[in-house]
Amino acid sequence: MKHLIIGGVAGGATTAARIRRNDEKAEIIMFEKGPYISYANCGLPYYIGDVIKDRAKLFVQTPETFGTRFNMEIRTKSEVIAIDPEKHQVTVRNEQGEEYTESYDKLLLSPGAGPVKPPLPGIDSEGIFTMRNVDDTDRIKEYVTSHPIRRAVVVGAGFIGLEMAENLHATGAQVAIVEMADQVMAPIDFSMAGLVHQHLYQKNIALHLNQAVKGFVPLKGPDPAIRVELADGSQIVADIVILSIGVRPETSLAKKAGLKIGKAGGIYVNEFLQTSKSDIYAVGDAIEYPHPVSGEPWLNYLAGPANRQGRIVADNMVFGNKIKYEGSIGTSIAKVFDMTVASTGLPGKKLKQLGLPYLTSTTHSNSHAGYYPNALQMSTKITFHPETGRLYGGQIVGYEGVDKRIDLLAQIVKKNGTVYDLITLEHAYAPPYSSAKDPVAIAGYVASNILSGKMKPLYWRKMQKADSAQVFKLDVRTAEENALGTIEGAVNIPVDALRNRLEEIPRDKPLYVFCAVGLRGYLASNILVQNGFKDVYNLSGGYKTYEAAAESEYGSIPITPAFSSQYDDSGDPSDKNRSTPIRSSASSISASVLKIDATGLQCPGPIMKIKHTIDAMEPGEQMEIQATDPGFARDVQAWCQTTGNILVEQSDSKGIFRAVVEKKQKQELSAASAPSGGKGKTLIMFSDDLDKALATFVLANGAAATGEKVSIFFTFWGLNVIKKVKKPKTRKDIFGKMFGMMLPSHSGALKLSKMNMFGMGPRMMRHIMKLRGIDSLEDLRTQAIENGVEFIACQMSMDVMGVKKEELIDHATIGGVASYMNRAVQADVNLFI
Ligand SMILES: Cc1cc2nc3c(=O)[nH]c(=O)nc-3n(C[C@H](O)[C@H](O)[C@H](O)COP(=O)(O)OP(=O)(O)OC[C@H]3O[C@@H](n4cnc5c(N)ncnc54)[C@H](O)[C@@H]3O)c2cc1C
């Protein structure tokens, strides 16, 4: 029997080796158009980043060793250019350009997939590369070695694109990723991708989502550069561009030979991996095959399935069609900087596209017991049938232990299991490896609570769109967590206080409950339901999922300012890992820094630890805290800004966040609260525009910090800036009620004076301020109170507008024009805003 194999890497080499193991007498010839066979495509990006240093390690076999071991002929640099199924022969073009034919009894196609390279202007310019094989890798390696690469652009944010981004970053380049979709990593849902966006941002990767590349312009200069032009008119200048837009199954040969091409665009094969011509088989990236869950044919570009298919097809080619291929559910995993991102089966977005009914559950657990050092957070989302609980798929984003959990989920999906099977799975457990309740089991428990109706899930999009007038948003986290950021319009009643504060919660509205990750929300919803509240929902994945997804939604993850869109020569190539550490103050680290371990604690644990430690410290003393909660990096910045303590240094590595905080000096406190040394300042807050209110409090705080006596007179619309969120019931006449209905009910509902865009503007403004570490309006207002700024509410305006004293924050005093004038005559600055 004579077997010809087209393609000498994953599928082809596996098939050839197995044929030999099945039949010692068979004649086998393997054609490979490139110079290498059986190499590690999956390791190529790591060679660019010098993680794999020895190029020789990329080659699992050479043509010589493989040919000798398996007694077969390996013809490299030999491209099969035609197949004649009737004559059972192929035409081959060798290195010299000569063409010849070779006959076969059985033929295998494993030609893989080719990179997509759209016909964009300038796409063939110097410095623009695709990455698919060893030759591509050698070209990129040579280029990064011989050119100063300070800025790199990766087009496409699939797993190869992200791996390339990480490895180029490791060479010292600043990296920007341009992606046409609204998220990275297409196989996972948007809410999970949000966590990856946050991580990339922390690593100083500039993410341009929802952005198409329009073209490339080569730039002249001492070192060649490329201007990447984006569809929105913006530009990025880079020293190298990697195109990782996607791949297409290599079907040209099959098409020419008249083989059937399937619905998804891959070579059609039956369950024996046989093409439409009986003596021709095909495997790997080039074929399409029905997805075991959806039944729909799909293209799956993964090495595991290619190898598995190679083994099956070799048996069928030698012994006749006996073994059926069961199909692949696309289980994949990728390292994205310190993160691991993995998925299996069908995500929510695909199920939606297919019109299949489904539910999801998102849980956040520790990779191992929280009390054992360095437990790292892991976020798990599963999709399942709303009645039977059949598990459709799973996605995990985390730092450690993601691989073993995704494999467990994959087994259940592939064996048509349900979420209940996740509960019955047995896990090996000891504190360094897992928890007695493994993250996979927790995902199963939560899903079974959803299915039994014990918990009504609420998904982040619904929460985001919810109108606070129609639903009651209840934040059951602690006041400290709430102060670090919450959902607009939410009322904070910590879960432990809930039983005593039930009368504050309306019974005539749906209750949208949330906590940090979902657990306390679930406990709170139980308390509420058992106290007679009917319509209670718990936010799946809690504020952590909401924040990550909502942030990405606005598309406003800031582009790192260090990577200017202009051609800028100032980048420092030695500045390899700019996110680690960031020095954020002029203070230096003292030798006697107190070390605190907050690893394994979830928000607000690390922040509470800082607070308790700082309370016991003397001014000027420093503490170093380590935490594994990914939100910690931003929380500590916000906390220091709010409290006035000094963030001396911050860094992160492999999922562990470290911060050095110095306790503020007493005189800073006293300076802020000192009695007026100057003549004083007054501000009239007439407007209730968010931007003007921000400006007012910034000015007031600035003045108060210099020791000035500051008074703000809130009049007419300005009263809305100091209204309480949760107001007691008050008696109002018809006009008071009308004003109450028409005006913003509290500072969280203020509009922008410009670009309000039906409420989008203020949300964006608040979001961007938060990302940039700028205090929110409410924080600035609290600081003003702490700084001793006087708030006077205008009695006359209150009477006109039917505003009652109880509706205003407690710090406000009521006064008339005389109160204001009394201060104004003494002040040397009086502002009307
Ligand atoms: C950079 C990179 C990283 C990856 N990382 C991962 C990963 O981490 N995990 C994972 O599961 N998968 C990964 N993959 C995908 C994985 O490598 C592929 O799914 C797998 O190699 C597919 O095997 P294949 O045999 O179908 O194609 P390939 O392994 O691509 O082999 C096809 C071969 O056929 C040759 N060929 C094509 N046409 C002809 C012809 N007419 N005549 C002769 N020869 C021909 C090509 O030159 C090529 O060498 C990665 C791929 C790349 C490029």
Side-chain angles (χ1 to χ4, degrees):
M1 184 80 88
K2 183 174 177 184
H3 298 276
L4 298 188
I5 311 286
I6 303 176
V9 192
T14 303
T15 308
R18 176 82 176 170
I19 290 176
R20 170 58 69 231
R21 292 199 292 273
N22 285 339
D23 183 0
E24 187 56 25
K25 299 267 173 339
E27 183 184 353
I28 308 169
I29 306 174
M30 187 160 84
F31 300 99
E32 167 53 55
K33 71 177 173 189
Y36 310 102
I37 62 151
S38 195
Y39 57 83
N41 321 42
C42 312
L44 299 177
Y46 298 98
Y47 175 61
I48 302 292
D50 250 0
V51 179
I52 298 171
K53 293 193 184 336
D54 183 357
R55 183 176 177 280
K57 289 205 167 142
L58 295 173
F59 301 97
V60 186
Q61 294 276 3
T62 66
E64 295 70 36
T65 56
F66 197 76
T68 309
R69 166 74 49 90
F70 296 104
N71 184 27
M72 66 177 74
E73 220 181 303
I74 313 279
R75 297 188 196 162
T76 55
K77 300 182 186 168
S78 300
E79 181 177 3
V80 176
I81 53 170
I83 303 168
D84 188 335
E86 309 312 320
K87 290 191 186 153
H88 277 59
Q89 73 178 30
V90 299
T91 306
V92 186
R93 186 185 292 135
N94 66 17
E95 195 181 357
Q96 290 72 39
E98 297 153 357
E99 291 178 13
Y100 63 94
T101 57
E102 196 71 57
S103 66
Y104 63 83
D105 295 313
K106 302 277 179 196
L107 173 68
L108 175 83
L109 283 172
S110 186
V116 173
K117 211 172 159 192
L120 295 171
I123 197 157
D124 292 318
S125 308
E126 187 186 355
I128 303 180
F129 300 90
T130 54
M131 155 69 103
R132 193 67 207 163
N133 51 35
V134 176
D135 283 344
D136 295 339
T137 310
D138 284 340
R139 277 192 287 270
I140 297 171
K141 186 80 176 175
E142 197 278 325
Y143 198 81
V144 298
T145 319
S146 58
H147 293 76
I149 305 290
R150 289 170 310 223
R151 300 144 307 179
V153 166
V154 175
V155 186
F159 72 90
I160 297 177
L162 293 184
E163 284 172 1
M164 282 307 293
E166 178 182 347
N167 281 285
L168 286 165
H169 184 264
T171 67
Q174 294 169 16
V175 181
I177 298 174
V178 181
E179 167 59 57
M180 212 150 85
D182 56 1
Q183 65 164 87
V184 303
M185 296 295 248
I188 62 174
D189 280 324
F190 184 80
S191 57
M192 296 294 278
L195 299 166
V196 188
H197 298 164
Q198 286 182 331
H199 186 60
L200 290 169
Y201 176 57
Q202 273 165 3
K203 293 288 174 189
N204 263 333
I205 301 298
L207 251 190
H208 300 255
L209 298 173
N210 291 306
Q211 278 285 4
V213 173
K214 221 172 58 184
F216 304 92
V217 178
L219 298 175
K220 293 202 172 62
D223 296 311
I226 307 120
R227 191 168 70 224
V228 184
E229 299 191 324
L230 306 183
D232 71 348
S234 58
Q235 304 170 343
I236 317 170
V237 174
D239 305 305
I240 189 170
V241 174
I242 304 290
L243 299 175
S244 185
I245 298 169
V247 290
R248 264 194 214 110
E250 187 49 80
T251 53
S252 50
L253 196 57
K255 272 185 196 155
K256 242 171 57 183
L259 304 187
K260 183 176 167 187
I261 302 299
K263 253 186 12 186
I267 301 173
Y268 167 86
V269 291
N270 64 16
E271 68 261 60
F272 301 107
L273 299 168
Q274 191 176 33
T275 68
S276 54
K277 303 283 179 190
S278 61
D279 288 322
I280 306 179
Y281 292 76
V283 296
D285 288 358
I287 68 164
E288 63 173 57
Y289 200 79
H291 191 289
V293 179
S294 69
E296 289 284 307
W298 76 299
L299 299 157
N300 179 24
Y301 307 115
L302 291 170
N307 278 279
R308 160 123 189 86
Q309 293 157 12
R311 192 180 159 92
I312 292 173
V313 88
D315 289 3
N316 291 340
M317 285 168 77
V318 173
F319 305 119
N321 290 348
K322 294 215 164 64
I323 305 182
K324 292 182 180 174
Y325 178 49
E326 74 286 357
S328 161
I329 54 171
T331 307
S332 65
I333 190 159
K335 177 175 176 303
V336 182
F337 290 83
D338 298 337
M339 260 190 171
T340 306
V341 183
S343 73
T344 185
L346 298 177
K349 62 182 165 190
K350 187 72 198 169
L351 289 160
K352 196 169 174 186
Q353 227 177 54
L354 294 167
L356 294 174
Y358 72 97
L359 285 172
T360 74
S361 131
T362 302
T363 43
H364 306 280
S365 325
N366 277 331
S367 56
H368 60 246
Y371 56 82
Y372 187 86
N374 297 343
L376 298 169
Q377 242 182 43
M378 176 185 296
S379 305
T380 306
K381 176 171 178 179
I382 55 172
T383 53
F384 48 93
H385 189 278
E387 276 136 34
T388 63
R390 181 184 174 189
L391 189 65
Y392 285 144
Q395 304 152 52
I396 310 184
V397 174
Y399 297 89
E400 226 180 62
V402 172
D403 47 352
K404 80 168 173 177
R405 272 61 180 228
I406 201 72
D407 286 350
L408 286 172
L409 294 179
Q411 301 325 306
I412 304 293
V413 175
K414 201 152 179 185
K415 301 284 176 208
N416 296 329
T418 66
V419 296
Y420 307 109
D421 294 318
L422 301 178
I423 300 169
T424 58
L425 275 177
E426 238 177 75
H427 305 266
Y429 159 60
Y433 303 103
S434 181
S435 301
K437 264 193 215 151
D438 189 84
V440 166
I442 289 178
Y445 288 131
V446 173
S448 68
N449 281 339
I450 292 173
L451 288 173
S452 69
K454 195 156 169 48
M455 188 184 91
K456 287 191 205 163
L458 169 72
Y459 299 113
W460 75 272
R461 268 188 211 280
K462 196 161 174 196
M463 174 65 109
Q464 190 195 34
K465 288 188 184 141
D467 178 354
S468 302
Q470 311 292 328
V471 302
F472 187 77
K473 300 177 191 172
L474 178 59
D475 180 352
V476 296
R477 299 172 303 158
T478 61
E480 287 80 8
E481 289 169 276
N482 175 274
L484 292 174
T486 187
I487 295 172
E488 202 181 310
V491 173
N492 179 220
I493 305 179
V495 64
D496 294 335
L498 194 59
R499 289 185 182 88
N500 297 327
R501 293 176 62 181
L502 292 174
E503 74 286 354
E504 294 175 36
I505 301 167
R507 289 184 179 267
D508 57 347
K509 285 181 179 178
L511 304 184
Y512 284 9
V513 182
F514 68 95
C515 65
V517 296
L519 177 60
R520 283 172 292 169
Y522 171 57
L523 303 178
S525 57
N526 274 328
I527 294 171
L528 291 165
V529 168
Q530 290 182 39
N531 278 282
F533 290 86
K534 297 261 170 320
D535 232 2
V536 185
Y537 299 85
N538 181 28
L539 181 64
S540 185
Y543 187 64
K544 182 179 165 72
T545 295
Y546 179 90
E547 190 190 30
E551 242 174 47
S552 295
E553 239 251 311
Y554 297 139
S556 54
I557 294 223
I559 309 303
T560 170
F563 196 173
S564 147
S565 60
Q566 300 308 307
Y567 188 54
D568 164 20
D569 259 4
S570 60
D572 174 4
S574 65
D575 189 13
K576 283 206 172 185
N577 203 350
R578 293 178 312 103
S579 64
T580 316
I582 294 172
R583 269 278 153 97
S584 47
S585 90
S587 300
S588 54
I589 299 174
S590 77
S592 58
V593 61
L594 190 67
K595 305 243 180 199
I596 303 294
D597 180 11
T599 56
L601 296 181
Q602 294 187 358
C603 180
I607 287 298
M608 295 311 292
K609 267 212 161 184
I610 294 189
K611 184 181 181 309
H612 292 144
T613 313
I614 283 268
D615 284 350
M617 279 166 41
E618 289 300 317
E621 279 183 353
Q622 291 180 347
M623 61 180 293
E624 179 186 319
I625 183 159
Q626 291 206 343
T628 45
D629 174 15
F632 176 75
R634 282 198 279 175
D635 286 352
V636 70
Q637 283 175 15
W639 186 83
C640 284
Q641 262 167 13
T642 312
T643 58
N645 291 294
I646 301 162
L647 182 58
V648 180
E649 193 176 285
Q650 211 184 347
S651 63
D652 73 271
S653 173
K654 299 193 177 359
I656 298 183
F657 300 88
R658 179 183 147 273
V660 178
V661 178
E662 182 177 310
K663 183 163 178 165
K664 64 183 168 191
Q665 295 291 339
K666 277 204 178 100
Q667 58 267 33
E668 283 168 31
L669 259 181
S670 50
S673 53
S676 171
K679 292 179 177 160
K681 321 277 174 210
T682 72
L683 298 100
I684 299 177
M685 177 87 254
F686 177 79
S687 162
D688 63 356
D689 290 331
L690 173 64
D691 38 355
K692 293 180 182 166
L694 283 165
T696 303
F697 287 117
V698 169
L699 289 169
N701 283 329
T706 63
E708 293 276 333
K709 170 82 185 154
V710 183
S711 304
I712 310 179
F713 191 64
F714 294 89
T715 182
F716 282 93
W717 319 117
L719 291 170
N720 298 325
V721 178
I722 49 169
K723 279 184 184 165
K724 281 180 186 158
V725 175
K726 180 85 189 136
K727 299 177 207 48
K729 275 208 171 343
T730 50
R731 276 179 164 272
K732 289 195 181 197
D733 60 18
I734 178 80
F735 300 109
K737 281 184 187 156
M738 274 172 63
F739 269 118
M741 268 158 47
M742 290 184 302
L743 293 172
S745 62
H746 55 87
S747 61
L750 300 188
K751 296 178 177 160
L752 280 179
S753 63
K754 289 193 173 134
M755 290 172 54
N756 189 56
M757 298 182 296
F758 304 104
M760 276 275 291
R763 288 214 298 272
M764 270 177 61
M765 165 86 84
R766 282 179 181 271
H767 171 71
I768 293 168
M769 285 170 61
K770 191 170 159 210
L771 283 178
R772 306 260 152 94
I774 301 167
D775 293 319
S776 68
L777 173 64
E778 291 70 26
D779 290 340
L780 289 167
R781 192 177 59 194
T782 306
Q783 284 166 29
I785 295 170
E786 286 168 4
N787 290 340
V789 174
E790 185 183 26
F791 289 7
I792 307 170
C794 170
Q795 177 72 67
M796 189 274 283
S797 313
M798 288 172 65
D799 291 345
V800 171
M801 299 169 80
V803 177
K804 306 289 174 202
K805 179 176 185 334
E806 305 86 283
E807 294 179 76
L808 301 179
I809 57 176
D810 296 338
H811 181 69
T813 55
I814 312 297
V817 72
S819 311
Y820 170 71
M821 281 305 172
N822 175 275
R823 281 129 184 110
V825 289
Q826 293 172 38
D828 57 355
V829 174
N830 298 303
L831 297 174
F832 182 89
I833 299 174

